Amino acid sequence: MAKELYDGIYSSHKLIFVEKIRRNLEFYLKNKVRDIRLLGQEIFFNTDIDNLPEVLKEIRKNPEIEVDILSSINKYISKNRCILLINLSSVSNNFSMIIKASLKSPADDTETFAAEYNKLINQISAVYESAAFYLEGSKTEDRHFDIVLRSHILDGLDAFDTYLNAEEDIITKANISTRISVIPFYSITNKVTITELISKISRFDYNAGIFPELCFCLALEELMQLKVARRVQFIRMIISELSRISNHLSYIAKMATVLGSKITLSHILIEQERALRLIELVTGSRVHPNYIRVGGVRKDLNDEILKNISAGIKHLFKKIPIIESMLLDNTVITHKLKNTGQADRQAVLGCGVTGPNLRASGARYDLRKNRNLLLYREVSFLVAVGKYGDCLERLYIRFREIYQSIKIIDQLIGLMPDEHIRKLINLSELDMPYNKMVSSIECPHGVFKIYFEIEKNVVEKLVVMGPSRNSLYLAETILCGSRTEDIELILASLDISSGEIMQELPI
Amino acid sequence: MRQLVKNSLNLFVAGFGCCKKEIYSTLGPTYDISRFGVNFVNLPEDSDVLVIQGFYNRTGERRLLDCYRSMEEPKWVIAAGKCIVDRSVFCQDYVLTDRLKNEIKIDFYVPGCPPRPEAFIYCILRILEIH
Amino acid sequence: MRPVIRDFFSGFGNLFRKPRTVVYPKEKIIIPEGSRGIPRLKLDLDSLEIICNGCGDCRKVCPENCIEIIKTVDENGIEVLDEFYLDLSRCSFCGNCVEFCNLDAIEMTYRHQLAEPDKNSFRLEKLELIKQSDYSLRDFWTK
């Protein structure tokens, strides 16, 4: 009781720290920024496009806040103006900020617009090197390439083309073009009602469909200052850990396909089917759950479902070590995986990669531990951390994460509070003033982030910042120096989700 | 000739999207699509059935047409998933089957978002005329 | 050497086990409870009439606009449902219509298998939607 009261009165020390940083930034960048504030747990501010390189330089050089990572650059068009969202983060201080700036030239004049955009990106890349990945246009057309790999047939490698320069069998330069995944999707990002958006948003990460929904609902709850019942949070944690298991299993299946281990593949597919069946039992669908609601969940779990889940988890716990030993006790496979696609901690951080790919290189960064995400602080689990950052480590860390997820679900079923879930809110009569919100969540690929603007019950603008684009940029750097036969293996080992790579085609 | 090919169908899955995940899970031991002599191949030249699924833009359409033209007769085309059968989830005005109706003739439509593996196997059975 | 022996025994156990594969057209694949299939219109068990009164809540909440409702006025001057169209080719099986129905007049069956050469045959009328109740028991969906 006392603890709940305390939590209600005082915000966590983490938020106080971020608030302090926000005040510092306001002091440093007094004349250059407007509207600096906290959105959820991130810092958000507007700036003019002329001031942007100076602001970035100031932020980069300041030793106090240590913002050294450019996570993503997203652009969207509103009222014929292109608006940039620059997402910076600091792993050592564990916070992130979003800078909003609008380009000067109108969006329908494509040539001057592209020139201005590329000029700006070049300016940014003088401060943050990884910005060069976001250059648009003729990056791949006018140059000569030795090898061109069109989109692969495997799920995950099918949304981009790889352009390679090679000397004998060593790759010297790699370029990845995501031209094929720039698709029209204006009817999901412009003026959608909340119910419609929740039922459609899981397409952005279809390997683990629960996380985009959860991210959006958490953001709205933060905005409406809703308190969610403990049982609801427990159910959300169970279903998100189940999705994590199924996503990691499909990743391992992908690796087994590339490695040509057919027997292991069929063993994994059985277990993946088991995990998907548990997800279907809870949510009603295998891929697109449409399960999380604002302030609750669609359907309560009864005792029978909980019993089924704990039985399924026990079975997975028995079977996954067998799969692991089949795959990793094989010296042929481990020799192939070892030392291929190696990336050290600094290189991975520089690309802005998060999630298991970052943890495999030795950085302990997990939003489940580092932030107050759901109720993860009430269960005990370890954050799996690797050391070498090669393909073997990346495969190995997925197995470790599956065991930790099983451990979390086992604890959650034991601790499940017996509580009545209240009726859901009627969102059709919601009358909310104009607001912006940012929210992030730890999805199996990394930190999944959503930015949206909302008025009444209509989402005016939605921007999805998936972690897989950073993995693509990492692939560009680690493909250089590796051998041509390992391309498929390295790309598969990064666990790229095609849904997150998709970008909006402006009309 | 069509009857002879049906003993061993080769499938080529084009595009990227959520239906691909479900279609490839039919390879697993639970569903085991290979019982009907169905294989997944990586080259359109080898394939008899083209499965269209997922999200496309203009570049994607061109590649899809290339795949379709390089397939040899007899050939079948399956449109899997809501994005192809009706219109894209992300864009109300983008209807792929209308845009390509002069070039590609679709034999079977499998609705669902995404269709379950059983639904996809049912479609294959309809092609093989077992069910 | 040890992994080889262990793999041998794990494979050896598989000899005395039922096969994992469900021989699909002959056997039934049991779908987990609560799975979302083709929607159906429920009947009132006493009077054998449709519960749906055509209020149109499901049409408003459907993200794909696949429901079409036509209403008429009967002899007592009350608005009743005349025709209920559901276009399965548009449907994404999200289940919003079931969730937002105040009368519980619509339900999802366990039937999934759908493949037709003609796109227009996916448009179901009221009577066809009632007929789907044959498939609501999940063991018999292969019918």
Side-chain angles (χ1 to χ4, degrees), chain A residues 422-491:
Chain A
R422 269 172 298 162
K423 207 171 175 294
L424 297 174
I425 311 157
N426 187 2
L427 288 170
S428 60
E429 285 154 19
L430 189 71
D431 193 11
M432 196 182 276
Y434 177 80
N435 246 321
K436 305 184 193 74
M437 194 64 203
V438 187
S439 167
S440 51
I441 197 169
E442 177 82 22
C443 89
H445 318 284
V447 178
F448 189 92
K449 212 170 264 189
I450 281 178
Y451 166 86
F452 61 86
E453 292 165 15
I454 191 168
E455 192 170 18
K456 286 182 181 166
N457 66 342
V458 179
V459 177
E460 300 279 334
K461 198 70 217 179
L462 172 83
V463 181
V464 177
M465 309 172 203
S468 287
R469 288 189 71 78
N470 302 91
S471 302
L472 275 187
Y473 180 59
L474 178 68
E476 268 190 6
T477 55
I478 63 177
L479 274 177
C480 300
S482 58
R483 291 156 62 131
T484 40
E485 69 224 34
D486 295 334
I487 298 169
E488 212 181 15
L489 186 63
I490 290 170
L491 287 175

Side-chain angles (χ1 to χ4, degrees), chain A residues 370-390:
Chain A
N370 292 17
R371 280 193 195 163
N372 290 337
L373 197 64
L374 296 172
L375 286 176
Y376 277 112
R377 61 178 185 276
E378 294 194 6
V379 287
S380 83
F381 66 101
L382 295 172
V383 178
V385 178
K387 196 173 176 186
Y388 303 106
D390 51 2

Side-chain angles (χ1 to χ4, degrees), chain C residues 113-130:
Chain C
Q113 94 274 47
L114 277 171
E116 296 291 336
D118 183 17
K119 202 159 109 175
N120 297 325
S121 62
F122 292 124
R123 192 177 152 93
L124 299 186
E125 289 175 359
K126 189 170 73 174
L127 282 176
E128 284 168 313
L129 281 170
I130 295 167

Side-chain angles (χ1 to χ4, degrees), chain A residues 81-321:
Chain A
R81 275 293 148 85
C82 181
I83 292 167
L84 284 188
L85 285 179
I86 298 164
N87 183 5
L88 304 170
S89 57
S90 153
V91 163
S92 50
N93 274 340
N94 184 19
F95 73 95
S96 61
M97 61 170 81
I98 285 182
I99 305 172
K100 186 177 168 186
S102 69
L103 287 178
K104 273 177 190 162
S105 52
D108 47 2
D109 188 4
T110 40
E111 275 185 20
T112 53
F113 163 72
E116 194 195 348
Y117 176 78
N118 280 352
K119 194 184 154 205
L120 187 79
I121 295 290
N122 280 327
Q123 280 175 347
I124 296 173
S125 62
V127 190
Y128 290 98
E129 283 173 20
S130 55
F133 179 66
Y134 299 93
L135 275 177
E136 246 186 20
S138 59
K139 184 169 71 166
T140 51
E141 277 162 16
D142 53 347
R143 290 222 339 256
H144 170 72
F145 291 98
D146 300 330
I147 306 168
V148 179
L149 295 173
R150 289 289 179 84
S151 52
H152 200 281
I153 196 79
L154 259 183
D155 181 28
L157 315 186
D158 45 6
F160 54 88
D161 307 334
T162 323
Y163 295 80
L164 300 165
N165 284 80
E167 263 173 33
E168 293 185 351
D169 67 336
I170 306 290
I171 297 161
T172 50
K173 188 151 176 54
N175 245 317
I176 286 175
S177 145
T178 55
R179 194 165 45 128
I180 185 172
S181 57
V182 183
I183 59 162
F185 50 73
Y186 62 86
S187 66
I188 193 171
T189 52
N190 291 311
K191 294 207 185 341
V192 235
T193 55
I194 293 171
T195 32
E196 191 181 337
L197 186 64
I198 291 174
S199 59
K200 279 185 177 180
I201 200 173
S202 58
R203 272 84 178 168
F204 281 109
D205 183 5
Y206 51 80
N207 281 318
I210 201 84
F211 290 97
E213 283 174 21
L214 187 53
C215 189
F216 179 71
C217 288
L218 284 178
L220 264 184
E221 279 155 18
E222 178 99 35
L223 207 57
M224 292 155 76
Q225 294 291 315
L226 265 179
K227 197 168 184 301
V228 184
R230 264 173 69 83
R231 189 179 170 88
V232 172
Q233 304 227 28
F234 271 65
I235 293 171
R236 284 177 179 183
M237 264 157 30
I238 287 179
I239 180 66
S240 57
E241 290 309 312
L242 277 175
S243 311
R244 199 182 302 276
I245 290 174
S246 93
N247 176 71
H248 284 343
L249 281 172
S250 68
Y251 165 84
I252 295 162
K254 198 158 54 181
M255 287 296 275
T257 321
V258 174
L259 290 165
S261 171
K262 272 284 166 66
I263 302 170
T264 327
L265 174 66
S266 47
H267 275 251
I268 299 161
L269 285 176
I270 293 174
E271 303 312 319
Q272 193 199 339
E273 199 64 34
R274 185 165 279 126
L276 282 175
R277 261 166 194 267
L278 289 180
I279 290 173
E280 190 175 12
L281 192 68
V282 179
T283 64
S285 174
R286 289 157 63 94
V287 180
H288 300 308
N290 188 15
Y291 183 66
I292 310 285
R293 293 286 177 270
V294 178
V297 288
R298 181 198 180 100
K299 185 176 81 179
D300 195 4
L301 299 186
N302 53 24
D303 288 345
E304 200 186 339
I305 294 178
L306 283 178
K307 212 188 282 174
N308 271 326
I309 292 174
S310 65
I313 290 302
K314 268 188 199 115
H315 214 101
L316 284 173
F317 187 67
K318 219 161 59 185
K319 287 285 177 185
I320 288 169

Side-chain angles (χ1 to χ4, degrees), chain A residues 40-94:
Chain A
Q41 298 184 24
E42 352 254 309
I43 299 166
F44 176 89
F45 56 83
N46 275 325
T47 179
D48 280 337
I49 203 80
D50 299 330
N51 289 333
L52 186 65
E54 284 175 43
V55 168
L56 287 177
K57 215 173 279 177
E58 188 90 19
I59 291 169
R60 177 75 199 250
K61 278 182 184 161
N62 197 330
E64 199 175 325
I65 47 179
E66 281 188 73
V67 179
D68 44 5
I69 296 156
L70 177 85
S71 294
S72 64
I73 299 176
N74 282 277
K75 60 178 196 295
Y76 67 88
I77 290 163
S78 100
K79 290 173 191 159
N80 206 12
R81 275 293 148 85
C82 181
I83 292 167
L84 284 188
L85 285 179
I86 298 164
N87 183 5
L88 304 170
S89 57
S90 153
V91 163
S92 50
N93 274 340
N94 184 19

Side-chain angles (χ1 to χ4, degrees), chain A residues 150-156 158-161 163 179-189 196 200 203-204 206-208 246 250 265-267 269-270 272-273 276-277 280 285-288 498-499 502 505, chain B residues 11-22 24-31 40-43 53 55-63 66 82-83 88-94 113-118:
Chain A
R150 289 289 179 84
S151 52
H152 200 281
I153 196 79
L154 259 183
D155 181 28
D158 45 6
F160 54 88
D161 307 334
Y163 295 80
R179 194 165 45 128
I180 185 172
S181 57
V182 183
I183 59 162
F185 50 73
Y186 62 86
S187 66
I188 193 171
T189 52
E196 191 181 337
K200 279 185 177 180
R203 272 84 178 168
F204 281 109
Y206 51 80
N207 281 318
S246 93
S250 68
L265 174 66
S266 47
H267 275 251
L269 285 176
I270 293 174
Q272 193 199 339
E273 199 64 34
L276 282 175
R277 261 166 194 267
E280 190 175 12
S285 174
R286 289 157 63 94
V287 180
H288 300 308
S498 311
M502 285 190 302
L505 181 74
Chain B
L11 262 66
F12 178 77
V13 186
F16 67 95
C18 359
C19 307
K20 196 173 213 169
K21 199 185 163 204
E22 292 287 85
Y24 271 90
S25 70
T26 54
L27 267 177
T30 322
Y31 300 106
F40 287 98
V41 290
N42 294 355
L43 283 174
Q53 54 88 36
F55 315 114
Y56 289 91
N57 58 4
R58 209 160 283 171
T59 321
E61 278 169 23
R62 223 180 300 130
R63 288 188 190 176
D66 285 350
K82 182 211 169 314
C83 298
S88 173
V89 184
F90 291 139
C91 177
Q92 291 293 325
D93 301 338
Y94 189 88
C113 192
R116 283 180 69 89
E118 293 98 308

